[in-house]
């Protein structure tokens, strides 16, 4: 068997959901995993996938995330260059640069995306009341895509 080589990307599982489809005999359950990957040097991606068990779903989500990697411009102070607003589905997000030493001031999914992207100082607020981690993570990616 081939040994797995160490990936350049760190990964964080944001969400695992059990989903069901109804078939003739009842319900068939599968799992949906939402994963963020990044190298903490400006590259980050989000992926979501379904599988029959959790490990398969996570593996497929990582594969999807690698396809969706973006490059984030980070200033010398370890923050974003300017304020940015983004919307994805029902999630609406505001991101602002923060002074040195402030850290990542953000909610769960946005915090994970910023951390794995390598942004050390940022202030963020999810303006909509969306609790959907996948939509919040994708809104964070949309915000980071807008940076110049």
């Amino acid at each position: 068997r081939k040994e797995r080589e160490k990936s350049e990307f760190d990964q964080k599982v944001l969400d695992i959901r059990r989903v069901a489809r109804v078939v003739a005999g009842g319900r068939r359950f599968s799992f949906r995993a939402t994963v963020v990957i990044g190298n903490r040097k400006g590259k980050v991606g989000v992926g979501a996938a379904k599988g029959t068990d959790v490990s398969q779903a996570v593996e497929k989500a990582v594969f999807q995330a690698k396809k969706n990697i973006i490059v984030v411009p980070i200033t010398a102070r370890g923050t974003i260059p300017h304020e940015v607003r983004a919307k994805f589905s029902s999630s609406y997000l505001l991101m602002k640069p923060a002074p040195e030493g402030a850290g990542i001031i953000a909610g769960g999914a946005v915090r994970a995306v910023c951390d794995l992207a390598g942004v050390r100082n940022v202030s963020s607020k999810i303006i909509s009341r969306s609790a959907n981690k996948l939509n919040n993570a994708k809104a964070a990616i949309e915000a980071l895509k807008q940076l110049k």
Side-chain angles (χ1 to χ4, degrees):
R1 285 165 35 146
K2 207 168 80 171
E3 287 286 322
R4 278 199 181 270
E5 69 276 358
K6 181 78 175 91
S7 173
E8 67 166 307
F9 296 107
D10 296 331
Q11 68 185 47
K12 178 152 177 48
V13 177
L14 280 183
D15 195 25
I16 303 279
R17 293 249 171 125
R18 190 179 78 163
V19 295
R21 68 177 196 268
V22 179
V23 293
R27 294 188 188 100
R28 287 253 171 91
F29 293 105
S30 59
F31 295 90
R32 185 193 77 186
T34 305
V35 176
V36 181
I37 64 167
N39 65 356
R40 292 192 163 90
K41 294 179 191 146
K43 287 186 176 180
V44 68
V46 173
K50 291 178 191 172
T52 51
D53 61 5
V54 173
S55 61
Q56 182 188 25
V58 169
E59 205 173 292
K60 286 164 83 173
V62 168
F63 186 70
Q64 283 298 316
K66 283 182 180 173
K67 288 183 184 178
N68 301 324
I69 286 187
I70 63 164
V71 178
V72 180
I74 301 170
T75 64
R77 294 179 317 172
T79 187
I80 57 177
H82 55 83
E83 184 179 309
V84 66
R85 293 168 190 263
K87 183 178 188 319
F88 183 86
S89 189
S90 65
S91 294
Y92 189 72
L93 177 79
L94 167 68
M95 258 190 212
K96 290 181 180 178
E100 187 70 53
I104 301 172
I105 303 165
V110 181
R111 176 182 290 270
V113 170
C114 289
D115 180 38
L116 289 172
V119 180
R120 294 189 315 273
N121 302 300
V122 70
S123 177
S124 174
K125 178 71 180 156
I126 298 167
I127 297 169
S128 67
R129 292 184 30 193
S130 175
N132 188 324
K133 291 177 188 165
L134 175 58
N135 283 349
N136 289 339
K138 287 197 172 185
I141 292 287
E142 288 301 316
L144 295 174
K145 273 186 194 173
Q146 293 175 24
L147 296 172
K148 298 283 182 273

